[in-house]
């Protein structure tokens, strides 16, 4: 069984995934896979450089993700183009990783910030939304990523609104409290998923 794990930027998806991992659950992070499909030598990287120009490539040939992020969040049509190039490749690679993991774990997590937006929720049996208040999302992201508040707001605008994401969730984890509170919720869901 595949469980989708999503939440807005700064909600703590990776923290929650590591909590499940501590209980023996395997997980695949769509962000990691998104980085895989744009590594040097991958067709998606060549397409991106052809479209945006050499300014999106670092001197070592890798993708300048910060430069690309600033370009796509200034222009929604550029973000749509990028998603059309990368999302099918990401989906294919996700399926490969999830299939490999499924034999080694009672169930597996697909951790994806755009689970619903990208249609990846079609790959999962259930979905968990990690939720925190918007002011906490903003402060965590500013502290972690060193980006401007304007850029965080642009990223938030590209994600589903909080209310819509919560309405689509099968399960919700409140990640605004302490680690003990988080683990209580994770352990409860883990028991439910193991019992099918």
């Amino acid at each position: 069984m595949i469980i989708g794990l999503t939440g807005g930027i700064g909600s703590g998806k990776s923290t929650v995934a590591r909590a499940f991992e501590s209980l023996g659950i395997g997980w695949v992070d769509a962000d990691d896979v998104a980085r895989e499909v744009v590594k040097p030598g991958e067709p998606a990287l060549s397409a991106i450089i052809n479209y945006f120009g050499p300014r999106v490539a670092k001197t070592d040939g890798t993708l300048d993700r910060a430069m690309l992020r600033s370009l796509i969040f200034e222009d929604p049509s550029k973000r749509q183009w990028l998603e059309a190039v990368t999302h099918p490749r990401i989906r294919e690679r996700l399926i490969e990783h999830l299939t490999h993991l499924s034999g080694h774990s009672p169930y597996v997590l697909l951790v994806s910030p755009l689970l619903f937006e990208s249609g990846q929720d079609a790959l999962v049996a259930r979905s968990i939304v990690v939720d925190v208040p918007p002011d906490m999302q903003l402060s965590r992201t500013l502290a972690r990523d060193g980006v401007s508040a304007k850029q965080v707001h642009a990223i938030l605008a590209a994600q589903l609104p909080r209310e819509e994401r919560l309405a689509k969730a099968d399960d919700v984890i409140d990640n605004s409290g302490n680690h003990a509170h988080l683990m209580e919720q994770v352990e409860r869901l883990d028991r439910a998923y193991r019992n099918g």
Side-chain angles (χ1 to χ4, degrees), residues 10-27:
S11 61
K13 293 176 294 295
S14 297
T15 300
V16 173
R18 284 191 292 273
F20 276 99
E21 186 177 43
S22 74
L23 303 175
I25 303 306
W27 55 292

Side-chain angles (χ1 to χ4, degrees), residues 5 8-9 25 47 60 63 68 75 99 102 119 126 151 190 194:
L5 177 66
I9 188 169
I25 303 306
D60 64 0
L63 183 64
L68 182 63
D75 183 344
T99 302
S102 64
R126 289 189 71 79
Q151 205 165 37
D190 176 63
R194 286 175 189 263

Side-chain angles (χ1 to χ4, degrees), residues 106-119:
Y107 59 91
V108 292
L109 298 178
L110 166 53
V111 181
S112 176
L114 299 175
L115 184 75
F116 300 123
E117 297 90 330
S118 66

Side-chain angles (χ1 to χ4, degrees), residues 52-92:
F52 289 99
R55 64 188 168 166
V56 296
K58 294 181 180 177
T59 53
D60 64 0
T62 60
L63 183 64
D64 185 335
R65 296 177 68 82
M67 170 61 78
L68 182 63
R69 190 181 307 122
S70 69
L71 294 171
I72 64 169
F73 285 112
E74 287 170 7
D75 183 344
S77 67
K78 289 181 178 170
R79 182 170 56 84
Q80 290 165 350
W81 179 90
L82 181 67
E83 289 171 354
V85 167
T86 57
H87 283 189
R89 290 175 168 93
I90 293 167
R91 184 184 182 92
E92 186 179 303

